[in-house]
Amino acid sequence: MSCIFCKIIKKGIPAEVVFENEDVIAFKDIKPIAPVHIVIIPKRHIASVVNLKEEDEILMGKLIMTAKKIADDLKISEKGYKLLIRVGRGGGQEVDHIHLHLLSGGNA
Ligand code: 5GP
Ligand code: ZN
């Protein structure tokens, strides 16, 4: 298994996990581009938005609801934040396991 995020899910490589349930895991980005930079991923491997199927609709909603919960926990909801999904190399996606970036502060 070569997917780095699947390795994080299976605790094969360490990450600073900030939230986890049966469907979703969220951890601090290893190279943050903002004071708050969390990566939120489904535990099921889906490479990209391009690969989403109809039945993934609820799971993708769970990613956004997880971002909302983490933002509330971090008390950044009032100030505001950015949610970002990169799609494909042209969109800047480097890790081929679908993920939502939660960014706040700095120039984010
Ligand atoms: P992308 O460019 O694919 O949207 O974002 C991938 C993100 O994953 C990057 O911000 C990168 O810093 C982060 N990342 C890549 N490898 C690791 C890792 O092993 N651990 C953590 N915590 N983040 C990673
Ligand atoms: Zn994966």
Side-chain angles (χ1 to χ4, degrees):
M1 185 243 299
S2 60
C3 174
I4 192 109
F5 285 178
C6 283
K7 286 180 183 156
I8 289 175
I9 292 162
K10 295 193 162 66
K11 317 288 186 203
I13 60 167
E16 281 192 68
V17 174
V18 298
F19 176 84
E20 182 169 12
N21 67 17
E22 62 176 352
D23 300 312
V24 170
I25 186 167
F27 49 88
K28 292 187 183 174
D29 197 289
I30 204 165
K31 281 192 203 155
I33 58 166
V36 174
H37 189 172
I38 310 282
V39 178
I40 302 158
I41 68 174
K43 286 192 170 174
R44 182 157 58 81
H45 181 92
I46 300 169
S48 165
V49 167
V50 171
N51 304 96
L52 284 174
K53 301 192 173 120
E54 198 77 37
E55 61 261 31
D56 299 323
E57 200 173 1
I58 291 171
L59 184 59
M60 292 307 291
K62 287 179 180 178
L63 292 192
I64 293 181
M65 294 310 285
T66 299
K68 171 185 154 69
K69 183 193 159 10
I70 293 169
D72 285 345
D73 289 348
L74 295 176
K75 304 196 182 343
I76 56 170
S77 300
E78 199 173 322
K79 169 179 140 108
Y81 52 89
K82 188 182 287 180
L83 297 177
L84 169 69
I85 300 180
R86 298 193 174 105
V87 184
R89 294 295 173 267
Q93 184 178 3
E94 290 181 355
V95 177
D96 291 330
H97 182 129
I98 200 166
H99 52 281
L100 182 64
H101 295 263
L102 166 60
L103 299 157
S104 184
N107 296 320

